Amino acid sequence: NAGVTQTPKFRVLKTGQSMTLLCAQDMNHEYMYWYRQDPGMGLRLIHYSVGEGTTAKGEVPDGYNVSRLKKQNFLLGLESAAPSQTSVYFCASGYRERQYQPQHFGDGTRLSIL
Amino acid sequence: AQSVTQLDSQVPVFEEAPVELRCNYSSSVSVYLFWYVQYPNQGLQLLLKYLSGSTLVKGINGFEAEFNKSQTSFHLRKPSVHISDTAEYFCAVSKVAGGSYIPTFGRGTSLIVHP
Protein backbone atom coordinates (compact mmCIF):
# COMPACT_ATOMS: atom_id res chain seq x y z
CA ASN A 1 0.00 0.00 0.00
CA ALA A 2 1.51 3.23 -1.18
CA GLY A 3 2.33 5.83 1.45
CA VAL A 4 1.96 3.97 4.79
CA THR A 5 4.89 1.85 5.94
CA GLN A 6 4.86 -0.31 9.05
CA THR A 7 7.99 -1.60 10.75
CA PRO A 8 8.57 -4.43 11.55
CA LYS A 9 6.38 -6.79 9.51
CA PHE A 10 6.75 -9.72 11.92
CA ARG A 11 7.90 -10.06 15.51
CA VAL A 12 7.87 -12.68 18.23
CA LEU A 13 8.16 -11.52 21.83
CA LYS A 14 8.25 -13.16 25.20
CA THR A 15 5.74 -12.17 27.86
CA GLY A 16 6.93 -9.08 29.69
CA GLN A 17 9.17 -7.77 26.93
CA SER A 18 8.64 -4.34 25.46
CA MET A 19 8.69 -3.13 21.89
CA THR A 20 7.67 -0.27 19.63
CA LEU A 21 5.86 -0.51 16.33
CA LEU A 22 6.59 2.26 13.87
CA CYS A 23 4.18 3.70 11.33
CA ALA A 24 5.40 6.22 8.76
CA GLN A 25 3.36 8.03 6.11
CA ASP A 26 4.58 10.35 3.40
CA MET A 27 1.24 11.87 2.34
CA ASN A 28 1.18 14.74 4.84
CA HIS A 29 -1.93 13.29 6.49
CA GLU A 30 -3.07 14.88 9.74
CA TYR A 31 -4.93 11.87 11.11
CA MET A 32 -3.29 8.59 12.02
CA TYR A 33 -4.73 5.47 13.63
CA TRP A 34 -3.59 2.20 15.18
CA TYR A 35 -5.90 -0.84 14.93
CA ARG A 36 -5.60 -4.44 15.97
CA GLN A 37 -7.22 -7.24 14.00
CA ASP A 38 -8.16 -10.52 15.60
CA PRO A 39 -10.03 -13.46 14.03
CA GLY A 40 -13.77 -12.87 14.07
CA MET A 41 -13.37 -9.45 15.72
CA GLY A 42 -12.76 -7.16 12.78
CA LEU A 43 -10.62 -4.10 13.39
CA ARG A 44 -10.63 -2.42 16.77
CA LEU A 45 -9.21 1.04 17.29
CA ILE A 46 -6.40 1.22 19.87
CA HIS A 47 -5.33 4.88 19.70
CA TYR A 48 -5.53 7.67 17.19
CA SER A 49 -4.00 11.07 16.56
CA VAL A 50 -5.55 14.14 14.97
CA GLY A 51 -2.24 15.95 14.58
CA GLU A 52 1.37 16.23 15.62
CA GLY A 53 1.73 16.14 19.39
CA THR A 54 -1.83 14.93 20.05
CA THR A 55 -3.14 11.44 20.77
CA ALA A 56 -6.41 9.97 21.99
CA LYS A 57 -7.68 6.63 23.21
CA GLY A 58 -9.75 4.37 21.03
CA GLU A 59 -11.83 1.33 21.85
CA VAL A 60 -9.09 -0.92 23.28
CA PRO A 61 -6.22 1.27 24.60
CA ASP A 62 -5.20 -0.72 27.70
CA GLY A 63 -1.65 -2.03 27.60
CA TYR A 64 -0.59 0.30 24.79
CA ASN A 65 0.93 3.75 24.56
CA VAL A 66 1.44 5.97 21.53
CA SER A 67 3.37 9.03 20.50
CA ARG A 68 3.15 11.43 17.56
CA LEU A 69 6.26 13.59 17.86
CA LYS A 70 6.47 14.11 14.11
CA LYS A 71 3.56 14.49 11.75
CA GLN A 72 4.68 11.63 9.55
CA ASN A 73 5.27 9.08 12.33
CA PHE A 74 2.93 7.36 14.77
CA LEU A 75 4.51 4.97 17.26
CA LEU A 76 2.70 2.22 19.15
CA GLY A 77 4.39 0.91 22.28
CA LEU A 78 3.87 -2.21 24.34
CA GLU A 79 5.56 -1.70 27.71
CA SER A 80 5.04 -5.25 29.02
CA ALA A 81 3.77 -7.60 26.35
CA ALA A 82 1.05 -10.12 27.22
CA PRO A 83 -0.19 -13.13 25.20
CA SER A 84 -3.55 -11.34 24.77
CA GLN A 85 -1.73 -8.79 22.63
CA THR A 86 -0.93 -11.39 20.00
CA SER A 87 -2.57 -9.88 16.95
CA VAL A 88 -2.08 -8.22 13.59
CA TYR A 89 -1.63 -4.49 13.98
CA PHE A 90 -2.57 -2.02 11.27
CA CYS A 91 -1.71 1.62 10.98
CA ALA A 92 -3.82 3.96 8.88
CA SER A 93 -3.80 7.63 7.96
CA GLY A 94 -6.14 10.22 6.50
CA TYR A 95 -6.65 13.89 5.69
CA ARG A 96 -8.30 16.29 8.14
CA GLU A 97 -10.83 17.14 5.44
CA ARG A 98 -11.80 13.46 5.33
CA GLN A 99 -11.37 12.76 8.98
CA TYR A 100 -14.32 10.39 8.99
CA GLN A 101 -12.40 7.69 7.18
CA PRO A 102 -8.93 6.20 7.31
CA GLN A 103 -7.84 6.39 3.69
CA HIS A 104 -4.61 4.46 3.55
CA PHE A 105 -3.62 1.38 5.49
CA GLY A 106 -0.23 -0.22 6.00
CA ASP A 107 0.29 -3.92 5.29
CA GLY A 108 0.26 -4.83 8.97
CA THR A 109 2.62 -6.07 11.68
CA ARG A 110 2.11 -9.64 12.82
CA LEU A 111 3.00 -9.84 16.49
CA SER A 112 3.15 -13.04 18.56
CA ILE A 113 3.60 -12.99 22.31
CA LEU A 114 4.76 -16.27 23.83
CA ALA B 1 -22.98 4.00 21.09
CA GLN B 2 -22.85 2.83 17.55
CA SER B 3 -22.31 -0.68 16.32
CA VAL B 4 -21.94 -2.42 13.03
CA THR B 5 -23.28 -5.89 12.34
CA GLN B 6 -22.17 -7.92 9.38
CA LEU B 7 -24.73 -10.65 9.25
CA ASP B 8 -22.65 -13.29 7.50
CA SER B 9 -19.17 -14.34 8.54
CA GLN B 10 -18.65 -16.25 5.32
CA VAL B 11 -20.33 -16.12 1.91
CA PRO B 12 -19.47 -18.80 -0.65
CA VAL B 13 -20.49 -18.12 -4.24
CA PHE B 14 -19.70 -19.41 -7.70
CA GLU B 15 -17.86 -17.31 -10.24
CA GLU B 16 -20.10 -15.01 -12.33
CA ALA B 17 -22.95 -15.29 -9.82
CA PRO B 18 -24.34 -12.19 -8.06
CA VAL B 19 -23.49 -11.56 -4.43
CA GLU B 20 -24.78 -9.45 -1.57
CA LEU B 21 -22.87 -8.86 1.65
CA ARG B 22 -25.09 -7.54 4.40
CA CYS B 23 -24.36 -4.76 6.87
CA ASN B 24 -26.61 -3.19 9.49
CA TYR B 25 -25.72 -0.39 11.86
CA SER B 26 -27.19 1.17 14.94
CA SER B 27 -26.93 4.88 15.57
CA SER B 28 -29.26 7.63 16.71
CA VAL B 29 -27.51 10.27 14.65
CA SER B 30 -26.44 10.69 11.07
CA VAL B 31 -23.54 8.52 10.06
CA TYR B 32 -21.11 8.02 7.25
CA LEU B 33 -20.86 4.49 5.87
CA PHE B 34 -18.02 2.63 4.18
CA TRP B 35 -17.01 -0.71 2.75
CA TYR B 36 -13.40 -1.84 2.75
CA VAL B 37 -11.76 -4.89 1.17
CA GLN B 38 -8.77 -6.78 2.53
CA TYR B 39 -6.83 -9.20 0.34
CA PRO B 40 -4.65 -11.83 2.07
CA ASN B 41 -1.66 -10.42 3.91
CA GLN B 42 -2.53 -6.85 3.00
CA GLY B 43 -4.07 -3.82 4.63
CA LEU B 44 -7.57 -2.53 3.91
CA GLN B 45 -8.56 -0.66 0.77
CA LEU B 46 -11.59 1.59 0.52
CA LEU B 47 -14.22 0.14 -1.85
CA LEU B 48 -16.91 2.81 -1.57
CA LYS B 49 -18.49 5.29 0.80
CA TYR B 50 -21.80 6.98 1.53
CA LEU B 51 -21.60 10.51 2.90
CA SER B 52 -24.84 12.08 1.65
CA GLY B 53 -26.99 12.43 -1.46
CA SER B 54 -27.92 9.48 -3.65
CA THR B 55 -28.50 6.35 -1.61
CA LEU B 56 -26.94 4.14 -4.29
CA VAL B 57 -23.19 4.46 -4.36
CA LYS B 58 -20.80 2.87 -6.79
CA GLY B 59 -17.28 1.86 -5.93
CA ILE B 60 -14.27 0.22 -7.45
CA ASN B 61 -14.17 -3.24 -9.04
CA GLY B 62 -17.86 -3.16 -9.99
CA PHE B 63 -19.20 -3.08 -6.44
CA GLU B 64 -22.11 -0.93 -5.31
CA ALA B 65 -24.01 -0.41 -2.09
CA GLU B 66 -27.35 1.03 -1.12
CA PHE B 67 -27.99 3.09 1.98
CA ASN B 68 -31.37 2.38 3.51
CA LYS B 69 -32.04 4.73 6.39
CA SER B 70 -35.32 3.15 7.49
CA GLN B 71 -33.74 -0.28 7.73
CA THR B 72 -30.36 1.08 8.91
CA SER B 73 -28.61 -1.04 6.33
CA PHE B 74 -25.78 -0.60 3.86
CA HIS B 75 -25.57 -3.83 1.87
CA LEU B 76 -22.80 -4.39 -0.65
CA ARG B 77 -23.61 -5.95 -4.03
CA LYS B 78 -21.93 -7.10 -7.18
CA PRO B 79 -23.87 -8.51 -10.15
CA SER B 80 -21.15 -10.93 -11.27
CA VAL B 81 -18.19 -11.91 -9.14
CA HIS B 82 -14.73 -13.04 -10.20
CA ILE B 83 -12.26 -15.36 -8.54
CA SER B 84 -10.15 -12.30 -7.76
CA ASP B 85 -12.94 -10.92 -5.55
CA THR B 86 -12.14 -13.56 -2.94
CA ALA B 87 -11.22 -11.47 0.10
CA GLU B 88 -12.41 -10.20 3.47
CA TYR B 89 -14.91 -7.35 3.35
CA PHE B 90 -15.49 -4.91 6.17
CA CYS B 91 -18.37 -2.52 6.71
CA ALA B 92 -17.57 0.61 8.74
CA VAL B 93 -19.59 3.44 10.27
CA SER B 94 -18.38 6.86 11.36
CA LYS B 95 -20.02 9.42 13.55
CA VAL B 96 -18.75 12.30 15.62
CA ALA B 97 -17.02 11.36 18.87
CA GLY B 98 -15.32 14.07 20.92
CA GLY B 99 -15.12 16.39 17.95
CA SER B 100 -13.62 13.83 15.59
CA TYR B 101 -15.16 11.24 13.34
CA ILE B 102 -14.03 7.81 14.45
CA PRO B 103 -14.91 4.78 12.35
CA THR B 104 -16.17 1.54 13.86
CA PHE B 105 -15.66 -1.63 11.84
CA GLY B 106 -17.80 -4.71 11.59
CA ARG B 107 -16.32 -8.14 12.17
CA GLY B 108 -15.90 -8.83 8.47
CA THR B 109 -17.38 -11.14 5.86
CA SER B 110 -15.19 -13.59 4.04
CA LEU B 111 -16.25 -13.80 0.38
CA ILE B 112 -15.15 -17.05 -1.21
CA VAL B 113 -15.60 -17.29 -4.97
CA HIS B 114 -15.50 -20.80 -6.39
CA PRO B 115 -14.72 -21.59 -10.06
Side-chain angles (χ1 to χ4, degrees), chain A residues 67-85:
Chain A
S67 65
R68 183 99 181 265
L69 299 180
K70 295 182 179 181
K71 187 176 184 179
Q72 63 268 33
N73 295 336
F74 195 30
L75 278 63
L76 177 70
L78 286 72
E79 290 186 349
S80 179
S84 61
Q85 294 177 304

Side-chain angles (χ1 to χ4, degrees), chain A residues 6-104:
Chain A
Q6 292 184 232
T7 310
K9 296 188 184 306
F10 305 93
R11 186 73 184 268
V12 178
L13 290 178
K14 294 181 179 179
T15 298
Q17 287 185 316
S18 63
M19 79 162 295
T20 300
L21 281 64
L22 171 64
C23 176
Q25 53 96 2
D26 59 4
M27 296 166 286
N28 204 34
H29 285 165
E30 293 86 3
Y31 281 61
M32 296 188 75
Y33 313 79
W34 274 108
Y35 290 91
R36 60 177 290 174
Q37 184 179 28
D38 302 291
M41 298 296 292
L43 272 76
R44 291 181 292 170
L45 183 64
I46 305 172
H47 287 280
Y48 65 99
S49 169
V50 301
E52 181 178 329
T54 69
T55 62
K57 294 180 179 180
E59 181 185 358
V60 288
D62 294 342
Y64 304 95
N65 56 75
V66 288
S67 65
R68 183 99 181 265
L69 299 180
K70 295 182 179 181
K71 187 176 184 179
Q72 63 268 33
N73 295 336
F74 195 30
L75 278 63
L76 177 70
L78 286 72
E79 290 186 349
S80 179
S84 61
Q85 294 177 304
T86 293
S87 186
V88 181
Y89 293 85
F90 286 98
C91 176
S93 67
Y95 289 111
R96 176 180 289 122
E97 291 73 23
R98 298 183 180 180
Q99 58 180 289
Y100 36 75
Q101 59 175 104
Q103 293 176 279
H104 294 273

Side-chain angles (χ1 to χ4, degrees), chain B residues 2-115:
Chain B
Q2 64 185 37
S3 68
V4 183
T5 303
Q6 291 185 242
L7 298 162
D8 306 294
S9 59
Q10 201 172 81
V11 173
V13 64
F14 286 106
E15 194 174 18
E16 298 184 4
V19 71
E20 179 180 83
L21 306 183
R22 297 180 293 169
C23 174
N24 285 88
Y25 68 93
S26 62
S27 177
S28 58
V29 299
S30 295
V31 296
Y32 299 121
L33 299 158
F34 312 90
W35 276 99
Y36 290 83
V37 61
Q38 183 182 33
Y39 298 105
N41 299 314
Q42 293 185 23
L44 277 68
Q45 300 174 32
L46 182 65
L47 265 181
L48 49 79
K49 59 187 175 186
Y50 171 79
L51 306 180
S52 64
S54 174
T55 57
L56 182 65
V57 293
K58 294 186 183 299
I60 62 173
N61 301 339
F63 283 93
E64 62 181 33
E66 185 162 16
F67 170 57
N68 188 319
K69 188 174 182 179
S70 62
Q71 296 186 2
T72 60
S73 68
F74 191 55
H75 300 334
L76 181 71
R77 302 185 182 99
K78 186 170 183 178
S80 176
V81 295
H82 301 287
I83 294 287
S84 59
D85 292 323
T86 295
E88 193 83 11
Y89 292 79
F90 292 94
C91 181
V93 173
S94 272
K95 72 173 182 71
V96 174
S100 298
Y101 286 86
I102 303 301
T104 299
F105 286 83
R107 296 189 174 191
T109 296
S110 178
L111 175 63
I112 303 170
V113 181
H114 297 286

